């Protein structure tokens, strides 16, 4: 990756999902604009806060999609990341919003 770009893999949706109250939501249900979590697989030289292995929260509709060896990934700028969940705890809780 170059400059301030981040390569993210988005987990594949399993189709149907359940709400916290147990209601089944079909895969075809329309959802309002929703942010997604993904796993960082690569970062550019100028990325300062995100590391490979972090989980990041972002808007998937505004990102560029790329296919590498048949798998889909997203490429985004570091500034397009809304939050980060990390295993590094030297700065606090591990969830930064």
């Amino acid at each position: 990756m170059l400059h301030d770009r981040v390569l993210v893999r988005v987990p594949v949706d399993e189709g149907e999902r359940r709400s916290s109250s147990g209601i089944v939501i079909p895969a075809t249900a329309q959802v309002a604009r929703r942010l997604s979590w993904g796993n960082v697989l690569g970062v550019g030289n100028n990325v300062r806060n995100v590391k490979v292995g972090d989980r990041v929260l972002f808007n998937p509709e505004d990102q560029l999609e790329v296919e590498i060896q048949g798998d889909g990934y997203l490429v985004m700028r570091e500034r397009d990341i809304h939050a980060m969940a990390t295993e590094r705890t030297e700065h606090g809780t591990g969830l930064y919003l």
Side-chain angles (χ1 to χ4, degrees):
M1 302 303 305
L2 297 174
H3 307 296
D4 64 342
R5 302 292 196 245
V6 178
L7 181 68
V8 175
R9 175 185 294 157
V10 181
V12 179
D13 294 335
E14 294 95 28
E16 290 184 351
R17 59 189 190 278
R18 289 190 182 270
S19 68
S20 60
S21 61
I23 298 172
V24 176
I25 304 170
T28 58
Q30 291 292 331
V31 179
R33 286 189 59 173
R34 183 179 210 172
L35 298 177
S36 296
W37 286 98
N39 299 319
V40 176
L41 299 179
V43 295
N45 296 336
N46 296 333
V47 174
R48 296 182 296 164
N49 298 315
V50 181
K51 304 286 186 237
V52 173
D54 288 346
R55 242 178 96 115
V56 293
L57 184 67
F58 60 93
N59 183 356
E61 295 175 0
D62 295 338
Q63 309 311 324
L64 300 172
E65 295 181 25
V66 64
E67 186 174 318
I68 302 171
Q69 296 181 351
D71 295 326
Y73 301 92
L74 296 176
V75 175
M76 66 187 72
R77 291 179 181 259
E78 182 182 23
R79 69 179 181 197
D80 294 333
I81 295 173
H82 297 281
M84 174 180 63
T86 180
E87 295 293 326
R88 299 185 314 259
T89 57
E90 68 265 7
H91 297 292
T93 64
L95 181 61
Y96 302 97
L97 300 175

